[in-house]
Amino acid sequence: MINESIAKLVKYGENAGLVSGLDKIYATNRILEVMQISDYEEPEQIPENPDLEETLNELLDDAAKRGLLEHNSVVYRDLFDTKLMDCLMPRPGEVVKKFEELYAKSPQEATDYFYKLSQDSNYIRRYRIAKDIRWSVPSAYGDIDISINLSKPEKDPKAIAAAKLAKQSGYPKCLLCKENVGYAGRVNHPARQNHRIIPLTINQTEWGFQYSPYVYYNEHCIVFNFQHNPMKIERATFVKLFDFIKLFPHYFIGSNADLPIVGGSILSHDHYQGGHYTFAMAKAPIERHFTIKGYEDVETGIVKWPLSVIRIRHKDEKRLIDLAEHILNCWRGYTDEDAFVFAETDGEPHNTITPIARKVGDTFELDLALRNNITTDECPLGVYHPHAQYHHIKKENIGLIEVMGLAILPARLKDELEELSKCLVEGKDVRAVAELEKHADWVDEFLPRHPELNSENVMDILKEEVGKVFVGVLEDAGVYKCTEEGRSAFAKFMETL
């Protein structure tokens, strides 16, 4: 049985183009080494198209049975199966060479190859991503994308305890560092033997290009500084974004803001996120145009979007870089007490920007979402942050991906919505169910709108209402609201430019 599983993994590698005929024996011997098996006979018959998840589970079960795993749980299984996948992997230099050869023909051919490799290698675990729940909802701002993220496995208690006891290592410094390539991992750091990066020159410095293992959207990539430098939004940010767009014009790229609350999850390492996907924000039109002195040739306007977004467009990206720097500098120092916008309080800066760059036809576009991270006693998590009424659905920070109109909602919602749907159909009191009590006020608010609710449509109704909550979350994150008063205050800032 184990011989067949080993042969199936090698066959998978051949089918995926990871292993050539010349590498077959070598790959088999590498797998035998990892599995600590010294005797092997190739089976006479091997399935033509082995399933990767099934094959890896067979090998993991055997390894667990023979005591090769510290615990038979997801963290230790992931560490072990990544070691197995390494047996099929081309060296980093080979991947870069192939990418560069394809890039000479077409940037899209190169990224197609690299994205497929990142999935075939199980660095992106297709079978986990497929579990994510996705839908879209119409709104006043266009169709908004919603997802419940189920692809990040939850750690078991033993692994959490082991991670606390594990010796703290400063290598790699973080999950984005180039030193992750080929790293074996540990209980508190994922294995990365199947991880590859493509070196790029961005703003005359060394950067890396890779895909996110969790792909929240199509070809979700990460572009990161080879140096472990902190995130900072400045003129150089806009230069880097457009350097990338010129290399990969079929992709967008954006940066999280550089302040806590409105920033990303890894502020310690300068990086951007991009991909081959059109977000709702990119489809949203300019609702009001402005002319900025000295930049009369640049199309400029406020975007019809719940966050406060300025869009600038020009065929020469250098004009956009200059104007973006001007807008950033003005916003950093801008205070309007009537609109509750404060550049700083007690020396702590509050204003920053979430920038997103793309190319549309022969024109460069740059969206600048104005952000402010001020807190108050009433809003300790942030005034321009999801307010308490929405925390039952979304409490986490609004980063780059959500700014653009894709909700990344917590995995707990899958079970909660299923339980909630049963309660609603059966007419049970939601407040009487401990894990659902937090949703009770929300249910009281939307239920009167849906007299048609039944067992057939309950989940569609819940998804629609979750979508409305996320739109409310985005509106909370907007510094200037989509009201006459809010747009007037936004225009007041635009006129200072």
Side-chain angles (χ1 to χ4, degrees):
M1 176 64 187
I2 193 61
N3 286 356
E4 185 183 326
S5 299
I6 291 166
K8 279 164 63 179
L9 187 58
V10 175
K11 178 67 175 170
Y12 166 83
E14 286 184 280
N15 291 351
L18 298 171
V19 175
S20 71
L22 296 172
D23 297 330
K24 190 176 166 185
I25 292 171
Y26 174 80
T28 302
N29 285 331
R30 291 288 318 280
I31 296 166
L32 290 171
E33 180 188 352
V34 172
M35 294 297 295
Q36 297 183 26
I37 293 172
S38 54
D39 194 23
Y40 176 75
E41 189 173 323
E42 186 167 323
E44 288 182 19
Q45 285 192 313
I46 306 164
E48 196 58 38
N49 293 293
D51 179 80
L52 180 60
E53 183 183 16
E54 178 187 281
T55 303
L56 287 174
N57 278 333
E58 290 166 5
L59 292 164
L60 288 164
D61 289 346
D62 179 82
K65 201 184 301 176
R66 292 188 292 114
L68 302 185
L69 306 185
E70 197 169 326
H71 295 292
N72 189 17
S73 64
V74 66
V75 172
Y76 296 95
R77 287 172 76 94
D78 282 4
L79 288 168
F80 197 89
D81 73 9
T82 307
K83 195 186 292 188
L84 286 169
M85 290 306 298
D86 184 39
C87 301
L88 309 177
M89 291 297 294
R91 290 287 180 105
E94 294 171 49
V95 174
V96 173
K97 185 183 175 193
K98 173 84 169 173
F99 185 92
E100 288 173 347
E101 285 170 1
L102 291 170
Y103 186 90
K105 298 180 195 172
S106 148
Q108 189 160 342
E109 273 192 57
T111 55
D112 285 351
Y113 153 73
F114 189 39
Y115 190 54
K116 182 177 182 296
L117 174 77
S118 299
Q119 295 175 91
D120 290 341
S121 64
N122 211 36
Y123 168 73
I124 296 170
R125 295 172 182 260
R126 284 188 181 106
Y127 46 86
R128 283 191 186 155
I129 305 299
K131 293 174 184 172
D132 287 350
I133 300 169
R134 299 173 185 272
W135 70 95
S136 66
V137 291
S139 81
Y141 312 101
D143 289 345
I144 304 291
D145 294 321
I146 311 291
S147 71
I148 296 177
N149 177 34
L150 302 170
S151 51
K152 277 190 183 180
E154 290 189 29
K155 293 181 180 180
D156 61 281
K158 283 183 179 174
I160 292 168
K164 283 180 182 174
L165 296 172
K167 183 184 173 186
Q168 292 304 305
S169 169
Y171 181 89
K173 284 193 177 81
C174 78
L175 291 168
L176 292 177
C177 287
K178 62 184 177 180
E179 289 79 14
N180 281 282
V181 174
Y183 186 63
R186 51 187 192 268
V187 69
N188 56 359
H189 192 108
R192 288 289 183 253
Q193 293 104 319
N194 55 355
H195 174 43
R196 299 292 180 262
I197 60 175
I198 305 297
L200 303 176
T201 300
I202 302 282
N203 193 28
Q204 301 175 319
T205 52
E206 289 185 305
W207 284 62
F209 169 68
Q210 66 177 63
Y211 288 103
S212 164
Y214 305 113
V215 287
Y216 292 140
Y217 50 84
N218 188 47
E219 295 176 50
H220 178 182
C221 69
I222 298 171
V223 184
F224 62 98
N225 197 325
F226 269 3
Q227 301 300 315
H228 184 77
N229 295 332
M231 299 269 300
K232 189 178 180 188
I233 303 295
E234 56 187 347
R235 178 187 175 85
T237 303
F238 310 125
V239 174
K240 293 169 200 168
L241 295 180
F242 283 115
D243 276 0
F244 179 83
I245 291 295
K246 286 185 285 183
L247 288 171
F248 303 100
H250 58 299
Y251 275 13
F252 81 89
I253 186 169
S255 172
N256 267 305
D258 56 352
L259 292 177
I261 294 177
V262 294
S265 55
I266 306 179
L267 292 175
S268 60
H269 195 132
D270 196 11
H271 72 285
Y272 308 129
Q273 295 179 80
H276 200 181
Y277 190 74
T278 304
F279 285 85
M281 191 176 83
K283 299 174 192 172
I286 290 176
E287 68 178 23
R288 182 178 172 186
H289 283 82
F290 289 83
T291 302
I292 297 176
K293 192 177 178 183
Y295 298 94
E296 292 84 358
D297 56 321
V298 181
E299 183 184 355
T300 303
I302 292 173
V303 179
K304 187 183 178 184
W305 192 246
L307 277 95
S308 306
V309 180
I310 301 167
R311 178 169 298 159
I312 55 177
R313 304 181 78 243
H314 202 282
K315 290 183 180 179
D316 179 1
E317 82 284 357
K318 295 182 188 67
R319 295 294 289 151
L320 300 185
I321 291 165
D322 289 344
L323 178 52
E325 181 187 24
H326 172 60
I327 293 169
L328 174 65
N329 290 339
C330 290
W331 178 243
R332 289 269 196 214
Y334 186 73
T335 291
D336 178 354
E337 293 187 17
D338 292 338
F340 205 79
V341 173
F342 295 88
E344 57 87 24
T345 53
D346 301 325
E348 182 192 345
H350 295 305
N351 289 347
T352 185
I353 277 174
T354 300
I356 301 104
R358 66 184 79 87
K359 195 172 187 187
V360 181
D362 61 353
T363 302
F364 292 102
E365 278 187 4
L366 186 62
D367 284 350
L368 304 170
L370 306 180
R371 312 298 302 275
N372 180 290
N373 76 346
I374 196 166
T375 61
T376 62
D377 291 342
E378 297 78 26
C379 299
L381 299 178
V383 172
Y384 305 110
H385 175 90
H387 288 181
Q389 73 191 90
Y390 299 135
H391 287 179
H392 64 105
I393 298 290
K394 176 72 176 174
K395 189 177 182 179
E396 298 78 13
N397 297 357
I398 301 302
L400 170 68
I401 296 169
E402 289 169 314
V403 164
M404 296 185 290
L406 168 59
I408 312 291
L409 301 180
R412 64 175 170 81
L413 279 175
K414 177 180 181 287
D415 291 340
E416 288 176 14
L417 292 178
E418 284 173 3
E419 282 303 306
L420 193 52
S421 68
K422 290 175 192 169
C423 281
L424 294 179
V425 169
E426 293 167 15
K428 287 183 180 172
D429 179 7
V430 173
R431 292 178 200 279
V433 183
E435 62 270 25
L436 299 182
E437 190 182 358
K438 59 179 170 284
H439 297 300
D441 288 347
W442 174 53
V443 169
D444 289 346
E445 185 267 325
F446 77 72
L447 205 52
R449 292 200 296 270
H450 295 285
E452 79 284 11
L453 186 145
N454 59 44
S455 59
E456 300 291 314
N457 63 19
V458 62
M459 195 52 80
D460 289 337
I461 288 169
L462 283 172
K463 285 181 174 180
E464 177 191 332
E465 294 298 335
V466 166
K468 288 177 182 173
V469 167
F470 181 63
V471 171
V473 160
L474 293 181
E475 289 173 336
D476 281 351
V479 177
Y480 297 114
K481 305 310 176 192
C482 298
T483 60
E484 193 176 329
E485 185 184 16
R487 284 320 196 220
S488 175
F490 198 166
K492 184 179 168 186
F493 168 68
M494 296 297 290
E495 281 151 16
T496 69
L497 300 174

